[in-house]
Every structure is written in C-alpha cells, then in structure tokens.
Amino acid sequence: MKLKIYIYLTFHLLFLCSNKVSSQTPIVKGSVSYVVDTLSLTSNNAQIEKLKYKNELLRYENYKKGYLPSISFALSPIGFNRSLRLMQDPTTGSYTYVKDYSNSSSVGLTIHQKVPFTGGQLQIGSSLSYLNEFSYHRKSYNTSPYYISYSQNLWGGRKRYLLEKKIEESKNVIAINKFCSNIAQIQQNVLSQYMDVLAAKMRLNLSKQTVLNNDTLLDIARIKLDNGRITEYDYKQIELQSLRSKLDSEDAIQNYQQLYHRLLTSIGTTQEIAIVSPEFDLPFSIDSVAIWYYVRKNNSFYQQQELEKLEAEQNLFLVKLENRFNASISLGYGTNQYAEHLVEAYHHPNTRQSIQVGIQIPIFQWGINKNKVKMAENIFQSNLLERETRLRNFENQIAEKINAYQSSIKQWMTAKRTYELSQEQYKLALKKFSLGRISDYELYAAQNNQFTSLSQYASAIRQAYTNYYIIRGMTLYDFKKERDLIESLVK
C-alpha cells in the first residue's frame, strides 16, 4: 500500500512540475502572422517581386509619356570626304570622275507628338546644314527655319489607339494585382515552412515529456521488480521503450533544427524567433458572397481573361484593317533657304509644301485576304470559348477552397479536443500503471495514441491556415483585419 502511495505521489509531482515549466514559457514573438505577414516581405524572393513590379510601373509610365511631346536634337559636326566620285553630266549623259574634297555639318531640333484621337504623327522642327568645299574655297548654308509635317492612316487610327489604351491600362492593373498575388504566394510558401517547424516543435515537446515520463516509469519498474510485483521481462520491456523514446527525441531535435534553419533562410533573417502552437485566430466562417466579390475585383486571373479578349479583338481588327481598302496621307509645310553666308540663309526663306496620299486597294488575291479575316475571326471565337472554360474551372476551384476552409475549421476544433483527451487519457494510464491496474502494453498504446492525435492536430492547424491564406491570396483581402491587401502591399 505504501508503495502505491509513493508511486502515485511521484507521478503527481512530475505533472505539477511540467505544468509549472510550461507556464513560465516566455512571450512568443514569432507568431504565424508576424512571420508570414511581416518577415516574409523582407525575403529575397519578395524583393525580387518588388523589382519586377517597379519595372512594370516604369513600362506603363513610358507608355503614357509616349503621348507627351518629345524633343530630339541631332548634331553631325564632321562629315569629311576626300575622294573621286563618278558623276553623270545631265546634258550629255557622259560620265566623269570628279574630285570631292569637302566637309559637311548639320544640326537639327525636332518636336514629336502623337495624336491619340486620330492615330497620327505630328512633327515640328528646324534644321541647319553647312558645306565647306575645300577645292573651290567655297562655303554654303542650307537652312530650314521651321517645318511642320503630319501623317496618318485615313481609317482605323482612332480605334487602334483606343484598343491599345485599354490593353495597356489592363496590363497595368494586372501588374499590380499579379505583384500582390506573387507576394501572397511567397507568404503561402513561408506558411508551409512555418507549419513544418510548428509540427516538428510540437512533436519535440511531446517527445521530451515522454522521455521524462519513461525515465520515471523505469525507476518505478525497478522498485516493482525488487519487490516482485513485475517480472524481469516486463522491466526490460519498459527499459526498451525508454531507450526508444530517447532515440525518437534525438531525431525530433535534429528534424526541428533543420526545418527551423530552413525557415530562417527562406525569410532571409538571422533573428531568433520562437515557434509555438497558435491559438485559434481565424474567422470561424467567411461569407462566400464577400469572397466572390473580392475575387472578381482583385484577382489577376479575371483581368488576364479580359486582357486576352482585348488582344484577340485587337488582332482581329488589325487583320481586317490590313486586308481591306485603306489610305494614308502625309502633309508638310515649312520654309527653307540657301546662301553662302549664314545670316543671308535666314533672309527671305522660300516656302515648301508637300502632300502625299497613298491608297491600298486589294483587288484580287484568290480569296487569301478573305481567308485571313476568317482565320482571325475563328481565333477570336476560339479565345472566347477557351476564356469561358477557364473561368468556369477557376470558379469551381474557388468553390472548392471555400468548402475546404469551412471543413478545416471544424477539423481543427475536433482535432484539438481529440489531442486534449489523448493527453488526459495518457495521464490516467500512467496513474493506473503505477498502481498496477493496467499492463505496460495498454500504457504504450495510450502513449502512441497521444502521438497520433498530435499529428492530426498539427495537420488540422496546417490545413486551416493553408486554406485561409489560399483564399486570402485569391481575393487579396485580409478577412481577419478586414483590409485590402493591394493597398497595404503597394504602399
């Protein structure tokens, strides 16, 4: 009777000490949200995505600035030549070699302006040319104080501009949303590594506690063996289990350290962070209407489908434009003058005018142009059908993720309770074994059940967070903090 009381008090004291140690655990800074939402943004992968995003912004900025006036300056200071040239006499038609010993220079300033509403090009400029003929000791200047030119296609210019504008604006929106989606994917990868470390640490903690329990069991078994309560076989069986638990504990330590350092490397930090089992902090349920709203608003997949539709429409329009009647017009007006002195070259300039009209009329090509247009129409219709199929598949994926998230929350609650019960059952099994009411086989069955429940609990936590961050990545909306991720990430 005294032996049973001693064993019971020993186990009771052991669990009190373990609870006291756990209550003195320091405040954890490496929470899921801190590591995934904050530290992941400083990783190399996140920085690479930021640089790609900046390039996309610069590309769109260049497109917009392409419709602003641009000024170009051209200078050719030296054009020296000393050689014999074959020239033809315009009167007699005979050829003779003429010695060319000269230097020419030129300078010009031009303003370019795209005209968006017509798709035309407007140029305004001024130029000066200088020729020094060394053989004849003669200098001359050719000036064009100003000239204006404008050119465009008579049909299709405005629609081409509008389509191009829509496409570029759509690309810019996609670039923003895709950047946020890529960051969200990086965060999901970090989350996966974090959950690996979390599961390893939970198993490590349980393994350490099991080693302590088995050491105590071994001491009690020694007392029972000396008192003839158990056989030597039973004692060695307990000793064998104690040794196995120590080996498992060493494996758990090594596995945890490997996964932990991989996580630090992935997020690009040397800061030591503590990993603990998170308390339930996810939304118990997410309104599916809100999910669909933010998916259609923020997900780059929808914008990509719209972009592909615009590009297919643009391709069809260009094919039709190239294979039908069209015309181009070019207008020019300005002044120019020639003189042997620079000042005189700007006196009384002559007016120069030019008009050029080009007409393209496909007359007969054995139906080739008609077939090209039909091919473009077929491609356009095919793209629309493929777009519709992709949208349906994507919407099915979203519906599956919504159901998976709701299910994973329930599994978390169930797995947590299961793990708590397995711990309580193991404690009771320890007490019963110490009092001789159950065998060591029943005790180790309770111990194995505790590890199985722990794995299920860690898996349930992982699934819940994974499904939540997948939905968050699809919607680019944080349902916990109720804020748009695009605004926070772009800032």
Side-chain angles (χ1 to χ4, degrees), residues 10-179:
T10 301
F11 272 98
H12 187 68
L13 181 61
L14 175 64
F15 284 110
L16 286 177
C17 292
S18 64
N19 291 335
K20 184 176 181 181
V21 171
S22 62
S23 65
Q24 293 176 352
T25 303
I27 299 177
V28 176
K29 294 184 180 179
S31 63
V32 177
S33 59
Y34 175 67
V35 174
V36 176
D37 298 340
T38 303
L39 292 184
S40 64
L41 298 181
T42 62
S43 65
N44 290 338
N45 291 333
Q47 297 303 318
I48 291 173
E49 291 300 329
K50 289 179 181 178
L51 293 175
K52 292 180 180 178
Y53 170 64
K54 289 181 180 179
N55 283 343
E56 289 297 324
L57 292 182
L58 292 174
R59 186 197 62 79
Y60 182 62
E61 184 178 353
N62 287 342
Y63 164 74
K64 292 190 296 183
K65 289 183 177 180
Y67 285 92
L68 297 177
S70 62
I71 301 176
S72 61
F73 176 77
L75 174 64
S76 178
I78 299 176
F80 178 79
N81 183 54
R82 187 173 186 177
S83 63
L84 293 176
R85 289 190 178 184
L86 183 64
M87 306 292 291
Q88 185 179 21
D89 191 295
T91 304
T92 62
S94 60
Y95 289 91
T96 57
Y97 283 95
V98 178
K99 183 178 181 181
D100 184 4
Y101 182 28
S102 64
N103 178 67
S104 60
S105 304
S106 63
V107 62
L109 186 68
T110 308
I111 301 176
H112 303 267
Q113 174 65 62
K114 292 181 179 180
V115 182
F117 298 104
T118 61
Q121 294 274 352
L122 176 66
Q123 291 187 357
I124 302 174
S126 178
S127 63
L128 168 65
S129 300
Y130 166 72
L131 177 63
N132 189 347
E133 299 176 273
F134 299 109
S135 301
Y136 304 102
H137 303 285
R138 185 170 57 191
K139 301 177 182 180
S140 61
Y141 298 88
N142 184 14
T143 64
S144 180
Y146 73 92
Y147 63 88
I148 303 173
S149 65
Y150 177 78
S151 61
Q152 73 161 80
N153 289 329
L154 290 184
W155 291 279
R158 174 173 173 78
K159 186 172 182 179
R160 176 184 292 186
Y161 160 73
L162 293 176
L163 286 173
E164 183 180 358
K165 181 181 178 183
K166 289 181 179 179
I167 289 174
E168 292 299 327
E169 289 175 348
S170 180
K171 285 182 177 180
N172 182 58
V173 173
I174 290 175
I176 297 174
N177 293 348
K178 193 172 183 180
F179 162 70

Side-chain angles (χ1 to χ4, degrees), residues 180-296:
C180 297
S181 297
N182 291 340
I183 293 295
Q185 183 60 51
I186 291 173
Q187 291 177 332
Q188 291 177 34
N189 295 337
V190 172
L191 173 68
S192 177
Q193 292 180 313
Y194 184 93
M195 289 300 161
D196 289 338
V197 178
L198 173 62
K201 186 168 185 180
M202 292 171 67
R203 187 173 186 84
L204 173 60
N205 292 337
L206 185 58
S207 297
K208 288 181 178 180
Q209 185 61 47
T210 303
V211 169
L212 295 176
N213 293 339
N214 287 340
D215 288 343
T216 304
L217 284 174
L218 190 60
D219 292 338
I220 296 174
R222 181 79 251 181
I223 297 173
K224 285 187 174 184
L225 179 63
D226 294 340
N227 288 275
R229 298 292 182 88
I230 61 174
T231 64
E232 186 177 356
Y233 175 83
D234 292 330
Y235 173 78
K236 289 184 177 180
Q237 191 70 22
I238 295 173
E239 183 181 8
L240 179 61
Q241 189 66 27
S242 177
L243 293 174
R244 287 174 177 172
S245 65
K246 290 180 180 179
L247 291 176
D248 291 340
S249 179
E250 289 298 325
D251 291 340
I253 292 174
Q254 184 178 5
N255 183 48
Y256 170 73
Q257 289 177 346
Q258 289 178 350
L259 294 174
Y260 176 75
H261 290 296
R262 287 178 187 174
L263 175 62
L264 294 184
T265 302
S266 177
I267 60 181
T269 181
T270 58
Q271 176 188 358
E272 293 292 331
I273 57 177
I275 307 294
V276 293
S277 179
E279 296 294 333
F280 182 79
D281 60 347
L282 298 177
F284 192 79
S285 64
I286 303 177
D287 186 9
S288 59
V289 176
I291 292 177
W292 284 110
Y293 169 77
Y294 286 109
V295 165
R296 293 187 175 95

Side-chain angles (χ1 to χ4, degrees), residues 466-477:
T466 299
N467 290 328
Y468 172 75
Y469 273 89
I470 288 176
I471 291 176
R472 197 178 84 149
M474 285 182 168
T475 58
L476 296 180
Y477 187 82

